[in-house]
Amino acid sequence: ATDVMEAGLHLWVDKPLAMDEGQAGRLVEAASNAGVTVMVGFNHRWHAGVEEGRALVQSGRLGALRAVRSVYTHAHNGPAAQPWHRRRDRGGGVIFNDACHHFDLWRYLLGAEISHVQARAFDSKDFEDDTCSMTAELDNGMVGSALFSFSTRPHSEVEIFGERGSLLIDPY
């Protein structure tokens, strides 16, 4: 990524952007020095239902927003999964690989940053961070909850709760 930016080219990078804060900081500095645009490829932002949902949230029809909930589960077929999916230090695990898409959706749909997280991740015989439950606070006063797992049937949804209504988005 650094070589691409130093060549003066814009960059679309897959997640995770980096494996730690130091690596991410070096990439941000390289982008700033090169004067190029860098974007992490969060593919759910381009989903028609997500775009419609964002417009609905921004319209105010849900009233004052109070909470957001996400569920993402997917069967990654255990031992047949790609080796990097199974190990956290290689960008795998359900948090790095899939939960990040839902966290990005929260930010994109709600126009807020996640300010505090409590999470508990559980390993399985095939995966580090196979299943994770978490609660969060967003900087706009909302609360969030989520469940992520590699070892169940495929399911994906984000639900936003406002004082006048709720919105359920299913990217599948």
Side-chain angles (χ1 to χ4, degrees), residues 4-95:
V4 168
M5 291 183 279
E6 288 174 355
L9 300 171
H10 301 295
L11 179 65
W12 175 294
V13 64
D14 203 354
K15 50 73 181 152
L17 173 65
M19 295 308 297
D20 62 48
E21 190 174 349
Q23 288 177 349
R26 288 189 293 280
L27 288 174
V28 169
E29 183 178 346
S32 178
N33 291 340
V36 298
T37 299
V38 178
M39 182 177 176
V40 177
F42 287 114
N43 57 340
H44 288 331
R45 285 188 179 206
W46 316 112
H47 188 286
V50 169
E51 290 178 356
E52 289 176 32
R54 185 171 190 234
L56 181 69
V57 168
Q58 290 178 340
S59 77
R61 286 185 55 203
L62 299 178
L65 302 177
R66 296 293 182 227
V68 62
R69 177 187 63 85
S70 278
V71 175
Y72 174 87
T73 60
H74 192 82
H76 275 276
N77 300 322
Q82 296 182 29
W84 71 268
H85 267 197
R86 291 186 255 148
R87 296 205 19 222
R88 186 179 314 109
D89 66 351
R90 298 184 74 189
V94 74
I95 296 169

